[in-house]
Amino acid sequence: MDSGDKHFTQLADKALTADVKIATWCPTMDLLALCTADGQLCLHRLNWQRLWAVSPESAVTSLCWRPDGKVLACGYEDGYISLLDVENGETMQRGKMVAGVASAIGWVEEQSDNFTPEGSLAYQARTARFCQAPVPATPAPGAAPRPIYNQTRTDHQQWPVLPKRLDMMCVASGSALSIATFGLFPLAGLDVSPVANKPAAQSQVAILKATMTPDLKQLYLLWSESRQGSSSGHLSLTICDTSLLADRRRELQNLAQMATYTMSLLNSAESSLAGAEQQWNDAMKVIEDKLQAVRKLMRDHGKEVASPKEEFMALLASGALSPAMHQFLTSTLGEGGVKKLSKAVDSAVGNIGGILVDHLQPSLQAAAFKLNELHSLAKCTHQLQPLGLQQEPLLTANGLCERLLVRAETLRLGVCQAGVQYRHFFAWLLRTVRRLNDDNPQAATEAAAIKVDPTNVAAFLQGQFCRDVIGPEIKARALMWTALCHQGCHEGSWTLKGDKGVCFMYVQAVPAKRPPPESLLAATELSNPVQALMAILGSDSTSQEPCLPPNATIRHMLVHTVQLCTAAFARSPTAISTTIKPLTHLALASQLPKAPFPPATNIWVPTGHSAGVEGAGHPCVCFLGQKARGQQHLGLLRVPPSNPPSTKQHQAQLHFSMMEACLVAIPSSETLVDFAFYKPGQIALLLKDKSQVSSGGSTSGRLVLFALQDLPFMMLERYSNGTNQLSQHVFETCLKDGAVCDLPDDVRQRHSSYGQVQGPLAVSGPRGVAFVPSGKQRAVVYDLVEDEEEPDVDDSMDNDDD
């Protein structure tokens, strides 16, 4: 460590196994999530203790914490999003949010205030009052992930408690953005490509950052546009009006909770059927193994057509035994084998009965109740109409769910009846085996005590023995609904297929030609990634409702119910997306350099605790602009927190009367490696000396903190052309008016003890710590609140002089 500046206390200096690609601090705990170049995702404490590490199958492209710090969202290059439990790294929920790479994630929680918008729906879900909470099913092949929010697991099963505040997740992929709540429940989607200066075929548009204000009234999008094959491009900021989400947040909360619970209950029912299928298949496999042994013995004794049923019927009717059957009953099977078969079937019947009574039926009952609640709300209230909730598909899904309840009870009775038939058969078989043991008088006496009705045995041999009626009813077969076959695969449509369970497959077709959008954001002209968002739960909202096949089983009916529900819930994103309107559009820089650690942009939005500092309550945008006058410049833009204009206006606009901007010049001898917002009104910079790099020497890096209140911000009002756009780029405007200042000298800083520093820089304002990758795969953690203590000065020398 240099003997100069030691403003921050070094907390850790540890070795890394690979370079760090993404790093982010937990907002509520001293936890650091790292994604390394070798494909590992790990979580560390402040003392560098590793809590867990996972190796995802797909490359991680983005990370974001839920505001309460209990869930970590991971975006992958295949467009999927996984929600990981902070305690153990287990996947709580996984879904495909976008069609391309999930390049950026923003997660915000609404402010905790007691304000209720006028006309809000005063309604609370009543399912917990009337329905028994379903017992969590044992994981089985094809089972759905567990719910996002923790459940209170006690001897008396309780309904899980959801957060009282609404959270919003924004996932970006290219020019498309998806907005979800309560994990991965889709709410809206939009596309910024129509704003680009060049046609889509000649330019590449990518959203770099996306976030919403905590009041849910505005959406901030930082996006770049570059020509094909070029490493530089334009940087722009678009602010959208999402006041419908704020005004209808209580209705959205109820809708999202009830829809999420409904899908969770249906997935739990599917998991229960998968568990029942596994239990039944295991028992039938034990029986089939013995029947294969009978067939083999019959073929060995010269019977070309081996039919165990005919042998058992002959034995039941006349007591005639072929040599093969005699050998099987006395040697191969024996009394122990009969008892083993009987125990396997009895155990399967008991377990399946428990699954149906304790898992499947409560889940279906609660799902039917919730669907009935949603249908009643859609029918009797007008507050949910802007959210796209319609009563017809909900009524159909509710009716099918009620039929499922009847079918589940029929299945339970059928399993019990099959169990009774198997008991009669095995009792008769056990008596027969004991009678064949003539040398054992006790066995013959015990056989005489077994009472068997031959009529029941004959009915079993002619029915369940020949054709299993339970297995096909609960078996997950490969399904492709005939409705989709007749209609064809629509653009962005979702089809339901299943082998061992229900899985969702996205079928992407060639997108149809669309007319030019009339609005700034193509919210009404839904693009292919957005249509994928609309159907994230498993069905295309534009497709017609598929019809049940004539011989539909309970598994068919359940999958059909899932399709109907997802089609009903997919209407909401379509309706909400059309309400997202642009407020303003700012061109920040005309030549965005290719950053060494992209994206070289960041957005900070104030929370309810951001007060007391000048400018701290303003949303702030920070970006790395092009070089000017031989120096790098860091652009800063402050946006006033203003409410959108009245919705009665045809086009809501946010003018520039209070917007401020300035540039901070980086010293010419240094290069900006990365930057991040720290506390309200403060920014952290990671710099390295480029003069020593050019001369072949070792580099010197430093971490700098500086405040924004003393910077020469200029007003952008006079550059407004009367619309919701500026007449020139913010970067050029600041250079022209001289709103440029050098990096202040009186800043808190610390030089690195290693030869080089590199991104990404991860800073936590609430925790007051920073993570800096340094040297060759070294991780250095600093405490940004307390400075390193200077060594105590020994006063003995002064006393000696006296």
Side-chain angles (χ1 to χ4, degrees):
M1 180 66 60
D2 294 351
S3 58
D5 303 305
K6 295 184 178 179
H7 284 96
F8 312 132
T9 302
Q10 181 174 305
L11 300 178
D13 184 358
K14 301 294 182 180
L16 296 169
T17 58
D19 292 334
V20 178
K21 294 172 53 182
I22 310 173
T24 177
W25 287 97
C26 178
T28 58
M29 296 176 282
D30 293 329
L31 301 176
L32 177 65
L34 296 178
C35 176
T36 55
D38 58 357
Q40 270 204 339
L41 177 62
C42 50
L43 188 68
H44 291 270
R45 292 187 184 274
L46 190 59
N47 59 3
W48 213 247
Q49 175 190 0
R50 179 181 289 187
L51 294 183
W52 49 260
V54 295
S55 298
E57 297 180 359
S58 183
V60 178
T61 54
S62 54
L63 293 175
C64 185
W65 288 92
R66 197 170 72 185
D68 61 4
K70 297 181 179 180
V71 178
L72 177 65
C74 301
Y76 302 98
E77 63 179 0
D78 55 4
Y80 277 85
I81 300 293
S82 292
L83 304 183
L84 306 182
D85 191 342
V86 66
E87 296 183 358
N88 47 32
E90 293 182 357
T91 300
M92 306 171 69
Q93 192 175 7
R94 177 180 169 87
K96 190 174 180 65
M97 289 289 295
V98 289
V101 178
S103 56
I105 304 176
W107 212 342
V108 67
E109 188 176 58
E110 69 165 328
Q111 288 180 341
S112 179
D113 54 20
N114 296 324
F115 172 73
T116 301
E118 184 179 356
S120 295
L121 178 63
Y123 179 81
Q124 293 182 353
R126 295 169 171 81
T127 309
R129 303 181 186 178
F130 300 99
C131 298
Q132 174 188 357
V135 180
T138 304
R146 63 188 177 90
I148 307 173
Y149 301 95
N150 295 332
Q151 291 186 353
T152 304
R153 298 177 181 270
T154 59
D155 293 336
H156 177 67
Q157 189 64 27
Q158 300 179 3
W159 287 96
V161 179
L162 287 178
K164 296 181 179 180
R165 289 180 289 179
L166 194 64
D167 60 77
M168 295 289 177
M169 177 191 292
C170 301
V171 182
S173 176
S175 62
L177 181 77
S178 302
I179 303 176
T181 185
F182 283 97
L184 304 180
F185 180 76
L187 283 183
L190 52 88
D191 196 332
V192 297
S193 57
V195 192
N197 296 323
K198 300 291 182 180
Q202 302 178 12
S203 64
Q204 183 177 359
V205 179
I207 298 177
L208 305 179
K209 296 287 183 179
T211 187
M212 296 182 67
T213 54
D215 58 5
L216 307 183
K217 292 183 178 180
Q218 293 180 359
L219 170 66
Y220 285 71
L221 298 176
L222 264 175
W223 55 277
S224 65
E225 177 194 0
S226 60
R227 290 191 176 186
Q228 295 290 346
S230 175
S231 60
S232 62
H234 302 274
L235 180 66
S236 301
L237 170 68
T238 300
I239 304 176
C240 302
D241 174 22
T242 57
S243 56
L244 177 69
L245 300 181
D247 296 339
R248 291 287 176 254
R249 61 179 182 267
R250 295 285 80 86
E251 289 84 356
L252 279 174
Q253 187 173 11
N254 284 325
L255 173 61
Q257 284 183 359
M258 298 172 74
T260 302
Y261 265 164
T262 301
M263 298 306 301
S264 177
L265 290 167
L266 293 177
N267 288 334
S268 177
E270 170 61 29
S271 176
S272 300
L273 284 179
E277 178 191 3
Q278 187 66 45
Q279 293 283 342
W280 188 258
N281 288 344
D282 291 344
M284 293 301 103
K285 186 178 182 302
V286 176
I287 296 177
E288 183 61 27
D289 291 343
K290 295 301 180 181
L291 293 179
Q292 289 292 346
V294 176
R295 297 186 184 99
K296 184 177 182 302
L297 287 175
M298 295 174 67
R299 287 192 295 266
D300 293 342
H301 284 77
K303 281 198 172 185
E304 297 181 358
V305 180
S307 176
K309 173 196 170 183
E310 295 180 359
E311 293 288 336
F312 285 127
M313 288 295 293
L315 177 61
L316 179 65
S318 61
L321 269 176
S322 65
M325 182 59 69
H326 188 279
Q327 181 180 349
F328 170 74
L329 294 177
T330 57
S331 301
T332 305
L333 185 62
E335 184 176 341
V338 176
K339 292 181 178 179
K340 181 180 179 180
L341 292 176
S342 179
K343 182 178 180 181
V345 174
D346 284 345
S347 177
V349 170
N351 292 336
I352 293 175
I355 290 175
L356 297 179
V357 173
D358 297 332
H359 299 258
L360 180 64
Q361 290 178 330
S363 297
L364 294 178
Q365 181 185 11
F369 193 92
K370 283 191 173 295
L371 287 172
N372 192 27
E373 279 188 294
L374 284 168
H375 172 254
S376 300
L377 290 176
K379 182 179 180 180
C380 302
T381 61
H382 65 278
Q383 289 90 340
L384 294 180
Q385 292 179 359
L387 306 183
L389 193 65
Q390 299 182 9
Q391 53 178 309
E392 290 80 7
L394 292 172
L395 180 62
T396 306
N398 181 45
L400 187 55
C401 199
E402 292 174 351
R403 289 173 54 193
L404 267 172
L405 272 171
V406 178
R407 193 62 171 267
E409 178 62 18
T410 304
L411 175 62
R412 187 189 68 83
L413 296 177
V415 170
C416 293
Q417 183 179 3
V420 171
Q421 291 179 348
Y422 271 108
R423 276 190 184 179
H424 283 286
F425 173 69
F426 289 133
W428 169 74
L429 207 59
L430 180 61
R431 186 178 67 174
T432 302
V433 170
R434 287 178 175 177
R435 284 180 174 176
L436 292 176
N437 296 327
D438 295 335
D439 54 344
N440 189 345
Q442 182 179 358
T445 304
E446 293 175 355
I450 300 177
K451 304 298 182 181
V452 178
D453 186 356
T455 305
N456 293 332
V457 178
F460 169 77
L461 290 175
Q462 295 176 354
Q464 177 68 30
F465 186 82
C466 298
R467 183 176 60 87
D468 183 14
V469 296
I470 303 300
E473 181 73 10
I474 58 178
K475 182 179 180 181
R477 294 178 291 180
L479 300 177
M480 176 65 77
W481 294 106
T482 55
L484 289 177
C485 296
H486 291 303
Q487 299 167 7
C489 293
H490 298 277
E491 176 190 355
S493 63
W494 286 78
T495 57
L496 286 180
K497 289 187 176 182
D499 183 13
K500 295 183 179 179
V502 178
C503 64
F504 302 110
M505 179 189 302
Y506 180 70
V507 181
Q508 183 174 352
V510 178
K513 294 183 179 180
R514 295 175 295 160
E518 299 178 357
S519 60
L520 179 62
L521 291 181
T524 57
E525 314 294 339
L526 298 179
S527 62
N528 195 36
V530 178
Q531 285 197 355
L533 163 73
M534 303 312 166
I536 190 62
L537 294 176
S539 178
D540 183 15
S541 60
T542 61
S543 62
Q544 299 177 2
E545 297 175 356
C547 300
L548 277 172
N551 57 344
T553 64
I554 189 173
R555 208 67 178 268
H556 287 95
M557 295 174 65
L558 182 57
V559 175
H560 192 182
T561 306
V562 172
Q563 282 191 310
L564 291 175
C565 291
T566 52
F569 299 147
R571 300 173 188 266
S572 296
T574 305
I576 297 174
S577 297
T578 59
T579 66
I580 300 179
K581 303 297 182 182
L583 290 174
T584 188
H585 171 71
L586 294 91
L588 300 180
S590 59
Q591 294 180 0
L592 179 64
K594 184 178 180 181
F597 224 90
T601 56
N602 213 331
I603 308 176
W604 179 84
V605 293
T607 61
H609 305 287
S610 304
V613 181
E614 182 182 353
H618 293 198
C620 189
V621 177
C622 186
F623 62 94
L624 178 61
Q626 68 268 32
K627 281 189 177 182
R629 302 164 187 171
Q631 292 178 284
Q632 285 183 314
H633 288 77
L634 189 68
L636 295 171
L637 175 71
R638 290 200 303 210
V639 183
S642 60
N643 295 327
S646 173
T647 56
K648 296 181 180 180
Q649 299 182 8
H650 176 68
Q651 176 66 40
Q653 297 180 357
L654 179 66
H655 295 287
F656 307 96
S657 58
M658 297 297 292
M659 286 192 180
E660 303 173 312
C662 74
L663 300 179
V664 177
I666 305 300
S668 58
S669 61
E670 292 180 304
T671 299
L672 179 61
V673 178
D674 202 0
F675 56 86
F677 285 101
Y678 176 45
K679 290 183 181 295
Q682 298 184 58
I683 293 181
L685 304 181
L686 187 60
L687 306 171
K688 69 178 179 180
D689 193 342
K690 65 180 180 181
S691 60
Q692 297 182 4
V693 175
S694 60
S695 61
S698 61
T699 62
S700 174
R702 60 172 176 152
L703 178 64
V704 177
L705 281 182
F706 74 96
L708 305 182
Q709 63 265 26
D710 297 329
L711 298 182
F713 282 93
M714 61 165 288
M715 306 299 293
L716 299 178
E717 179 180 8
R718 61 193 182 96
Y719 289 96
S720 173
N721 55 11
T723 66
N724 61 345
Q725 299 190 37
L726 287 180
S727 58
Q728 58 183 338
H729 295 83
V730 173
F731 187 90
E732 298 173 356
T733 301
C734 293
L735 284 178
K736 180 179 179 180
D737 278 24
V740 184
C741 69
D742 294 329
L743 187 66
D745 296 330
D746 54 340
V747 294
R748 298 181 64 222
Q749 62 181 342
R750 174 149 183 167
H751 285 78
S752 172
S753 58
Y754 292 97
Q756 61 181 353
V757 292
Q758 56 192 11
L761 170 66
V763 177
S764 173
R767 315 306 296 177
V769 290
F771 164 77
V772 180
S774 306
K776 294 184 177 181
Q777 297 180 356
R778 302 292 300 183
V780 182
V781 180
Y782 295 109
D783 184 346
L784 303 181
V785 178
E786 297 184 1
D787 294 336
E788 188 170 295
E789 297 181 359
E790 297 291 342
D792 296 335
V793 180
D794 191 0
D795 297 335
S796 60
M797 298 297 295
D798 297 336
N799 296 333
D800 292 343
D801 294 340
D802 293 341

